[in-house]
Amino acid sequence: MKIQGKHFQSIWLSEEDPSVVQIIDQRHLPHHFIIESIQSHEQMAVAIREMHLRGAPLIGAAAAWGMYLAALQSPDLGYLPFLENASKTLFNTRPTAVDLQWALRSQSEVLENVKGPAEARQQLLKNAQRITQASAEYCRQIGIHGLPLIEEIAKKKGGKTVNILTHCNAGWLACVDYGTATAPMYAAHDAGIDIHVWVDETRPRNQGARLTAWELGQHGIPHTVITDNAGGHLMQHQMVDLLITGTDRTTRNGDVANKIGTYLKALAAFDNDVPFYAALPSSTIDWEIEDGIRDIPIEERNAEEVKYIQGLNGQEVHRVLLTPSDSPASNYAFDVTPARLVRGLITERGICAASEEGLTTLFPEMRL
């Protein structure tokens, strides 16, 4: 995607120094565009845990790059135990997004066939590059497969504006490029379809208001930021044609774990016959889990994210207390939307029903 006319991905190897991985530090957006340089797997673990970067596909790519950085740090003697410990450090950063586990497993498989530390560094670099570019391509394909959904609505409306609602940030900032939920939106806009996006603010970290709105603005897509609780009202008054979100983990039977509040949007969509689709690369599917509500681990983050909010005051970004200082707060980061509320899943291989049968039709190699 482009920022002020220049193409960026959300993570890349420094052109000047191959021992440095660079990211867009999302904590400072939309007010300041800051590139962070990361030189160790410990720094990458902090970046993932403290949400310098976030979004399931990007977390996976970042973990892969973290293992490459660990290989650069590792001693020649005992490099494999060092890398195993680095993998554990990265694994323990975020519990919900399955892409993290997938990328670390892929890097571990690379290590099974290397013959020494030099080859380990070379192969982990090669695989991190492969994972990163494959992730971007998967998202591009999601855009291609999701575009007909928007084209069909536009045709039924006689070319009038297609209003799309999204929650959180499932854009290119959450991925390597293109995004998941946003990929069909970008494809539709670039194809000349008149679209407008309702952007949930997405408390408590406001990824919608801060990140999705900024992304869409950079691409020139008309959008409006709304409070998290406005979506149901808009749907009741036929002001939403389509709901698309991303997902951090999708179960074998089509349950979708996504940013907290997605379940409520899905309920409102179901009640008002608004089609709800989740967009995801196959790396986000957890083929070992069938019951998402019971089995997907839900991250509980620091309560201070609920109690405080940050924003721009003049040229300075300030953090402000919202609640009584002694009021306790709870911060569940994700919820699970059962498959029965999901109209379909948009993947890099096409669209399918949110079910085991639907998913294994697209991914027959995963049939039991």
Side-chain angles (χ1 to χ4, degrees):
M1 305 303 293
K2 291 184 177 179
I3 301 171
Q4 296 180 349
K6 182 179 179 181
H7 178 263
F8 279 89
Q9 291 188 334
S10 57
I11 190 168
W12 64 95
L13 188 66
S14 169
E15 294 181 359
E16 290 77 26
D17 186 347
S19 69
V20 175
V21 175
Q22 295 183 300
I23 65 168
I24 299 168
D25 190 339
Q26 299 181 30
R27 296 172 300 167
H28 304 283
L29 292 172
H31 308 301
H32 302 296
F33 181 73
I34 294 175
I35 294 173
E36 179 180 359
S37 294
I38 298 176
Q39 297 177 280
S40 70
H41 75 274
E42 294 95 343
Q43 290 177 358
M44 187 66 80
V46 170
I48 296 171
R49 184 172 56 251
E50 301 300 327
M51 296 179 71
H52 303 199
L53 58 89
R54 24 69 52 208
L58 178 54
I59 288 172
W65 283 110
M67 288 301 294
Y68 162 67
L69 293 174
L72 298 181
Q73 298 170 260
S74 66
D76 286 349
L77 187 62
Y79 72 96
L80 284 175
F82 183 91
L83 291 172
E84 184 178 345
N85 286 329
S87 183
K88 290 178 181 176
T89 297
L90 292 161
F91 180 88
N92 289 324
T93 53
R94 300 287 303 276
T96 302
V98 75
D99 296 66
L100 174 71
Q101 302 170 27
W102 172 82
L104 291 173
R105 186 164 54 247
S106 178
Q107 290 290 51
S108 294
E109 290 170 357
V110 164
L111 292 172
E112 293 175 1
N113 301 309
V114 300
K115 297 178 177 65
E119 187 180 356
R121 294 174 189 123
Q122 181 184 35
Q123 293 304 316
L124 288 173
L125 169 60
K126 185 177 179 180
N127 199 41
Q129 292 171 326
R130 182 192 66 79
I131 287 171
T132 301
Q133 296 314 312
S135 181
E137 176 59 19
Y138 284 178
C139 289
R140 190 182 75 86
Q141 292 294 329
I142 287 169
I144 291 171
H145 293 302
L147 174 59
L149 296 173
I150 301 174
E151 288 177 325
E152 183 180 354
I153 294 170
K155 185 176 180 180
K156 287 180 179 177
K157 296 187 72 173
K160 293 182 180 178
T161 303
V162 178
N163 288 294
I164 306 168
L165 173 65
T166 192
H167 187 65
C168 195
N169 173 258
W172 70 269
L173 286 167
C175 305
V176 173
D177 213 338
Y178 299 99
T180 54
T182 58
M185 302 176 201
Y186 290 128
H189 175 78
D190 293 347
I193 298 173
D194 184 6
I195 68 168
H196 166 265
V197 183
W198 296 108
V199 180
D200 279 353
E201 59 181 343
T202 322
R203 286 279 295 142
R205 294 187 65 93
N206 298 296
Q207 295 101 318
R210 292 173 46 245
L211 304 179
T212 302
W214 181 77
E215 267 194 46
L216 295 173
Q218 289 290 323
H219 203 75
I221 295 179
H223 62 278
T224 304
V225 178
I226 57 173
T227 63
D228 287 346
N229 292 322
H233 168 78
L234 296 176
M235 292 185 215
Q236 284 180 327
H237 291 271
Q238 294 80 51
M239 298 170 72
V240 178
D241 299 302
L242 179 65
L243 168 61
I244 310 179
T245 72
T247 165
D248 289 78
R249 188 184 299 219
T250 299
T251 67
R252 187 179 192 90
N253 74 331
D255 294 340
V256 170
N258 194 50
K259 182 56 58 181
I260 195 78
T262 302
Y263 173 48
L264 295 179
K265 289 296 181 299
L267 286 171
F270 186 81
D271 192 49
N272 290 280
D273 198 28
V274 173
F276 167 42
Y277 288 84
L280 62 143
S282 55
S283 57
T284 303
I285 304 170
D286 189 334
W287 296 99
E288 297 179 3
I289 290 181
E290 294 184 0
D291 188 331
I293 296 172
R294 182 189 65 197
D295 295 331
I296 292 178
I298 298 299
E299 179 180 3
E300 292 186 55
R301 295 186 58 79
N302 193 316
E304 292 212 344
E305 293 181 352
V306 175
K307 297 183 67 169
Y308 288 82
I309 196 168
Q310 72 176 35
L312 190 66
N313 182 10
Q315 295 301 313
E316 301 280 334
V317 174
H318 292 281
R319 188 164 163 266
V320 179
L321 179 66
L322 291 171
T323 66
S325 59
D326 58 351
S327 288
S330 180
N331 189 10
Y332 294 96
F334 302 90
D335 58 25
V336 177
T337 299
R340 63 183 174 81
L341 299 177
V342 183
R343 183 73 60 90
L345 303 172
I346 312 171
T347 80
E348 76 271 14
R349 294 189 186 179
I351 300 177
C352 67
S355 65
E356 181 174 2
E357 181 181 356
L359 281 167
T360 55
T361 297
L362 291 182
F363 301 92
E365 68 274 20
M366 302 308 297
R367 287 188 178 128
L368 296 175

